[in-house]
Amino acid sequence: MSKYYLNYLDELESEAIFVLREVWAQFQNPVILFSGGKDSIVVTHLAKKAFFPSKIPFSLMHVDTGHNFPETIKFRDDILKELGVNLIVGSVQESIDQGRVAEEKGKSATRNALQITTLLDAIEEHKVDCAIGGGRRDEEKARAKERFFSHRDDFGQWDPKNQRPELWNLFNGKHFEGEHFRAFPISNWTEMDVWNYIKREQIEIPSLYYAHEREVVWRSDSWIPNSEFLKLEDGEEIVTKKVRFRTLGDITITGGIESDADTLEKIAAEVSGMRKTERGNRTDDKRSESAMEDRKRQGYF
Amino acid sequence: MTNALKAQWKIEKDKGIFRKLDMELNNSQLLRFTTAGSVDDGKSTLIGRLLYDSKSIFEDQLESIENTSLKKGHEGLDLALFTDGLKDEREQGITIDVAYRYFTTPKRKFIIADTPGHIQYTRNMVTGASTANAAIILIDARHGVIEQTKRHSFIASLLQIPHLVVCINKMDLVDFKEEVYNDIIKQFQDFSSKLLVKDVRFIPISALLGDNVVNRSENMPWYKGAPLLHTLETIHISSDFNSVDARFPVQTVLRPQREGFIDYRGYAGRIASGIFRPGEEVTVMPSGFTSKIKTIEGPDGQLEEAYAPMSISMTLEDDIDIGRGDMIVRSNNKPEPVQDLEVMLCWMNNDPAKPRAKYTLKHTSNEQTAMIKEVLYKIDIETLGRNLEDKEIVMNDICKVRIRSTKPLMIDSYRDNRSTGNLILIDENTNETVAAGMII
């Protein structure tokens, strides 16, 4: 067998670096959407490699719902300092205060959908023409249809039925004033690929991904962390468990799983034996069969 | 996290490399394949079966499919539901757009480009085929080779997919008879002799029952070949890239202008084909200047050699004016700089092609204004014959055209080099990608 081939992880890395460089070459003012979750951390790590020895030529944009894990914010600030890049924050609280959006009411209220307005406002205000995200096609059925370069109209909307064909590695980022693009460098990665890559590269990630003791409550089939935002329902009880999180979203909706995995090796081993999808612990995706598609059409991540 | 881990993560600034500890020697390759077909072929069932039997389905997905299967009144599990996508697709029971799906076995990682098979979706088939190492062609054992089979095979050969796996499906409905299988192989070979496909294999399967998909069929002991998954796991794909013609399209130039890198000028891009090594003499196209490769840096530091599809940055011994759109090639093997080219074009837009209108032509990292000068003929996708009369190019048409570009393009023929033989056209009024082209 010829020795001139890449293993799958190197090929995915090479593809992602190509996409990131293409974004830089085709757009005026791209940003990385940085949530502090593992996927956006991996994208940031790839950007570091793509432009070395230059520093990352993008600002990071964080849509802050105000319902954060404190660990995520600290992690974000540490990484900014290390990389020496700018941070743009879009605040959902400000959007609420300005009357741009109204807080959801009721038992399962979250700020998840409210982020859409804040995100689109921040994109407009900062004249961002391409927002780079850590979305992956294996995450969800609507995401399986995403392009690497995904067009958004001047209302920030995605039209999944009328997307530009994307062939070979020719990405068309041409757009009119007011429109923007989303770019997804790790489109072809699976959750397992992300963990194998984090392990291989020894990428630092928030401590929340590692098993730790935490106060939690059992709700919607997962362990929801105790926080100032948590309102206990009848019959619910706060307990202390050893948990870790597979994905990081708002502290109000991100459920943990019971786990002893406190090293990257153990996490990767655990993930490879997982019986449920990672978004299975996200109440935002459980609302309906097309919850993700509906939000994405409006401009969600 | 520990300080030790933090230290590992740091860039080794002076050396300009990233440290990679705990590197596993994982040699698993990535295989991209496309499946074209309609619901009736059992395409969705086949993909569902591959995912299910290779244990790539999660419990919550399974539960949701079980519920839907029940709701729809299906007996047992409807594997086809695994490939459900957008709301409209679920409602109409069809695939509208390419969907990408993933699964991994201990041998390989797979990306499936799941594309709809109807004529009106030719553009999606072409899209899915453009990056594929292999194509699965599904034939219903009851119907044998039909127009759709020919269309799919033609597109696979047009897009030069290196490996074709013809699955004769629904063998359970023809009593698993070997004669049926042999007869269909003959039908296929009769027409495919006209196509340019190097590697064709045939497998009798039943996607519904799982025969010869992941597990060997007990119903067809006469079949001595490998089941589908094993075939996909072992197809030799290392030689799919052109390793002879060294082509490096420059994507962007890295100029850090910071301490330690004041004079650094790295040409960043992804190697399209061939192999590059430091010390080699290279020519920059289209300017024609020559120099020697000083260094090649990959994602993890300096490399002794670099090959497709690596993303690298390259420095040269001499200061030459090089930018995006230029191509660095080995001096003794140069592509042809041309302005007039013949192209097989697949039209992908609702607006028909406008004769003599200007389009943006994208070829590797190079962008030029171009014009369709002449339509030579259209392919009748039903008969695969040539239509010399009809010159109007509309959505899903495949035709041979002459294109003129305002400036030279550094091309190879698509047959020789899939990476530097392709192009797209963009409508300057709408910014939409309207056509995909294979250079002849």
Side-chain angles (χ1 to χ4, degrees):
Chain A
M1 192 190 260
S2 147
K3 63 171 177 160
Y4 297 109
Y5 71 91
L6 297 179
N7 74 37
Y8 77 98
L9 216 43
D10 285 331
E11 188 167 339
L12 290 175
E13 180 186 59
S14 167
E15 179 179 84
I17 288 174
F18 176 81
V19 176
L20 285 161
R21 287 169 170 173
E22 205 57 22
V23 169
W24 171 240
Q26 292 197 33
F27 295 93
Q28 301 295 317
N29 188 26
V31 299
I32 295 177
L33 295 172
F34 190 83
S35 67
K38 64 180 189 318
D39 299 318
S40 61
I41 292 169
V42 163
V43 168
T44 307
H45 180 80
L46 288 161
K48 209 155 85 167
K49 288 186 153 194
F51 299 99
F52 189 84
S54 299
K55 68 173 195 176
I56 296 180
F58 313 122
S59 298
L60 301 192
M61 179 181 274
H62 179 221
V63 175
D64 182 354
T65 60
H67 290 175
N68 302 297
F69 285 95
E71 292 93 333
T72 314
I73 297 297
K74 167 144 195 339
F75 185 89
R76 178 196 78 186
D77 294 342
D78 288 349
I79 207 171
L80 281 172
K81 212 177 292 168
E82 192 209 311
L83 298 173
V85 297
N86 288 328
L87 175 71
I88 298 169
V89 177
S91 161
V92 172
Q93 188 60 51
E94 273 176 32
S95 301
I96 294 170
D97 295 344
Q98 292 161 1
R100 298 273 298 132
V101 290
E103 191 103 65
E104 284 185 8
K105 297 200 171 55
K107 178 181 159 201
S108 55
T110 82
R111 289 186 165 182
N112 187 279
L114 307 189
Q115 296 180 90
I116 298 171
T117 303
T118 309
L119 170 64
L120 295 178
D121 284 354
I123 284 173
E124 195 179 328
E125 183 190 336
H126 296 276
K127 299 196 162 47
V128 170
D129 54 0
C130 182
I132 305 162
R136 308 188 322 261
R137 288 169 178 160
D138 81 316
E139 278 180 88
E140 210 280 333
K141 48 189 177 282
R143 285 200 165 150
K145 306 269 167 171
E146 269 291 8
R147 304 292 192 257
F148 281 101
F149 273 30
S150 185
H151 180 258
R152 297 291 182 275
D153 68 16
D154 49 356
F155 292 95
Q157 298 180 111
W158 181 51
D159 183 2
K161 271 167 58 182
N162 194 22
Q163 301 193 74
R164 293 179 187 176
E166 202 162 73
L167 297 107
W168 299 290
N169 56 6
L170 297 174
F171 301 148
N172 173 5
K174 289 187 189 297
H175 59 281
F176 295 108
E177 184 95 23
E179 299 176 342
H180 74 278
F181 266 77
R182 302 289 171 84
F184 300 104
I186 60 168
S187 284
N188 277 333
W189 299 41
T190 61
E191 182 191 17
M192 199 62 235
D193 298 334
V194 168
W195 281 113
N196 278 333
Y197 189 70
I198 290 172
K199 187 173 80 160
R200 184 182 94 171
E201 306 277 307
Q202 296 287 307
I203 300 174
E204 194 176 347
I205 50 172
S207 54
L208 299 158
Y209 284 113
Y210 296 90
H212 58 286
E213 300 263 326
R214 176 174 287 267
E215 287 189 347
V216 288
V217 61
W218 184 248
R219 182 183 286 178
S220 307
D221 286 336
S222 63
W223 293 106
I224 300 287
N226 187 16
S227 71
E228 54 180 308
F229 312 106
L230 186 79
K231 290 193 188 69
L232 282 186
E233 306 284 321
D234 284 347
E236 285 182 343
E237 173 190 17
I238 290 180
V239 290
T240 300
K241 288 274 171 193
K242 197 166 188 190
V243 295
R244 61 175 212 89
F245 298 93
R246 268 176 98 186
T247 67
L248 292 184
D250 277 6
I251 197 165
T252 53
I253 53 167
T254 305
I257 51 169
E258 280 189 75
S259 169
D260 286 320
D262 53 5
T263 65
L264 287 175
E265 286 68 27
K266 287 186 199 165
I267 292 172
E270 188 182 271
V271 170
S272 71
M274 284 290 182
R275 309 288 303 143
K276 293 202 160 146
T277 59
E278 58 177 336
R279 298 197 74 91
N281 293 313
R282 294 276 287 261
T283 55
D284 45 335
D285 291 336
K286 288 185 179 171
R287 290 193 166 180
S288 81
E289 216 178 335
S290 56
M292 175 66 90
E293 182 182 340
D294 296 341
R295 279 177 297 159
K296 275 187 69 65
R297 280 175 183 272
Q298 294 166 36
Y300 191 70
F301 301 100
Chain B
M1 187 169 300
T2 64
N3 284 331
L5 281 186
K6 267 187 193 159
Q8 288 164 14
W9 196 46
K10 288 251 180 289
I11 309 167
E12 283 192 58
K13 286 187 177 141
D14 299 339
K15 289 187 202 157
I17 58 166
F18 287 77
R19 179 180 290 180
K20 194 152 59 176
L21 293 180
D22 187 35
M23 168 65 188
E24 278 177 22
L25 279 175
N26 186 344
N27 289 320
S28 268
Q29 284 175 293
L30 180 60
L31 179 106
R32 300 171 201 250
F33 68 95
T34 170
T35 52
S38 60
V39 185
D40 317 329
D41 296 327
K43 178 196 62 154
S44 300
T45 310
L46 176 65
I47 295 173
R49 174 63 68 186
L50 270 175
L51 299 178
Y52 187 72
D53 284 1
S54 65
K55 305 191 170 46
S56 313
I57 306 259
F58 291 98
E59 262 173 21
D60 45 337
Q61 288 176 311
L62 195 60
E63 275 168 30
S64 138
I65 301 294
E66 276 168 354
N67 290 337
T68 315
S69 299
L70 270 176
K71 231 186 283 175
K72 291 193 168 175
H74 293 300
E75 279 177 45
L77 199 61
D78 183 358
L79 290 172
L81 292 171
F82 285 122
T83 61
D84 258 1
L86 303 168
K87 220 189 302 181
D88 290 337
E89 296 178 320
R90 284 198 299 279
E91 279 160 13
Q92 299 170 34
I94 55 161
T95 323
I96 294 167
D97 198 354
V98 189
Y100 294 91
R101 313 193 187 279
Y102 304 83
F103 70 102
T104 307
T105 70
K107 299 215 177 80
R108 266 184 186 163
K109 176 187 163 88
F110 297 95
I111 302 179
I112 313 175
D114 177 13
T115 66
H118 300 290
I119 297 178
Q120 63 264 42
Y121 295 119
T122 296
R123 68 173 212 153
N124 289 329
M125 243 181 293
V126 170
T127 302
S130 72
T131 50
N133 304 94
I136 294 184
I137 306 278
L138 273 173
I139 298 178
D140 187 326
R142 293 169 304 172
H143 307 312
V145 171
I146 56 172
E147 294 306 326
Q148 181 168 276
T149 319
K150 295 183 185 174
R151 195 165 67 238
H152 295 168
S153 309
F154 171 69
I155 288 173
S157 99
L158 184 70
L159 273 288
Q160 295 276 297
I161 298 180
H163 313 279
L164 216 57
V165 184
V166 181
C167 289
I168 291 126
N169 191 22
K170 307 199 183 181
M171 288 299 292
D172 50 314
L173 299 182
V174 295
D175 300 326
F176 299 105
K177 277 198 200 117
E178 188 177 7
E179 304 87 78
V180 177
Y181 170 73
N182 286 335
D183 186 44
I184 292 174
I185 291 182
K186 191 168 174 309
Q187 288 173 26
F188 189 90
Q189 282 168 339
D190 281 348
F191 95 87
S192 69
S193 58
K194 284 170 260 165
L195 303 176
L196 289 156
V197 192
K198 292 162 208 149
D199 174 23
V200 187
R201 298 146 200 245
F202 301 90
I203 307 175
I205 66 166
S206 164
L208 189 69
L209 303 178
D211 290 75
N212 284 336
V213 178
V214 171
N215 304 311
R216 180 166 284 283
S217 167
E218 287 172 10
N219 295 310
M220 292 177 275
W222 45 263
Y223 173 71
K224 305 292 180 214
L228 176 60
L229 182 63
H230 185 264
T231 304
L232 294 171
E233 283 179 331
T234 51
I235 286 180
H236 178 71
I237 53 170
S238 307
S239 315
D240 287 357
F241 271 100
N242 174 329
S243 59
V244 177
D245 308 308
R247 308 280 185 259
F248 179 60
V250 176
Q251 245 187 311
T252 184
V253 183
L254 301 175
R255 303 203 58 194
Q257 299 186 306
R258 65 176 170 90
E259 220 188 305
F261 297 98
I262 295 299
D263 296 322
Y264 184 94
R265 202 183 243 270
Y267 306 106
R270 201 174 187 193
I271 296 175
S273 58
I275 302 161
F276 288 92
R277 297 180 185 89
E280 281 175 345
E281 191 183 292
V282 289
T283 299
V284 181
M285 308 276 286
S287 69
F289 288 118
T290 58
S291 183
K292 275 201 175 117
I293 299 175
K294 193 163 148 193
T295 60
I296 297 176
E297 280 134 50
D300 300 304
Q302 298 214 348
L303 298 169
E304 292 300 310
E305 54 186 4
Y307 47 89
M310 284 183 179
S311 280
I312 57 149
S313 55
M314 189 184 277
T315 60
L316 300 182
E317 296 285 359
D318 307 280
D319 252 342
I320 309 177
D321 179 22
I322 302 175
R324 179 171 169 85
D326 290 338
M327 191 183 278
I328 298 175
V329 303
R330 254 213 310 278
S331 295
N332 58 9
N333 174 342
K334 291 183 243 177
E336 207 184 336
V338 297
Q339 281 175 263
D340 289 291
L341 42 163
E342 288 193 355
V343 174
M344 287 301 282
L345 208 61
C346 174
W347 199 257
M348 306 191 141
N349 201 265
N350 279 321
D351 294 339
K354 292 178 283 268
R356 305 193 69 82
K358 282 178 191 159
Y359 292 97
T360 301
L361 185 156
K362 237 170 132 61
H363 169 260
T364 66
S365 57
N366 194 0
E367 246 176 58
Q368 302 295 344
T369 303
M371 183 191 282
I372 303 171
K373 297 274 281 189
E374 190 187 350
V375 181
L376 298 168
Y377 60 81
K378 248 160 91 159
I379 303 271
D380 183 328
I381 197 85
E382 292 295 320
T383 63
L384 302 185
R386 293 177 183 184
N387 182 338
L388 298 162
E389 310 303 318
D390 183 4
K391 303 280 180 177
E392 203 198 351
I393 311 176
V394 299
M395 173 84 113
N396 293 312
D397 273 352
I398 293 173
C399 47
K400 187 172 170 182
V401 298
R402 276 207 186 96
I403 289 178
R404 177 157 178 93
S405 147
T406 46
K407 293 217 173 103
L409 302 164
M410 283 66 73
I411 60 154
D412 293 294
S413 78
Y414 189 76
R415 191 175 300 177
D416 292 337
N417 197 332
R418 270 179 106 190
S419 307
T420 52
N422 66 60
L423 58 86
I424 58 170
L425 297 181
I426 298 166
D427 187 325
E428 294 186 341
N429 297 314
T430 62
N431 286 334
E432 283 175 14
T433 304
V434 293
M438 278 79 42
I439 299 165
I440 292 166

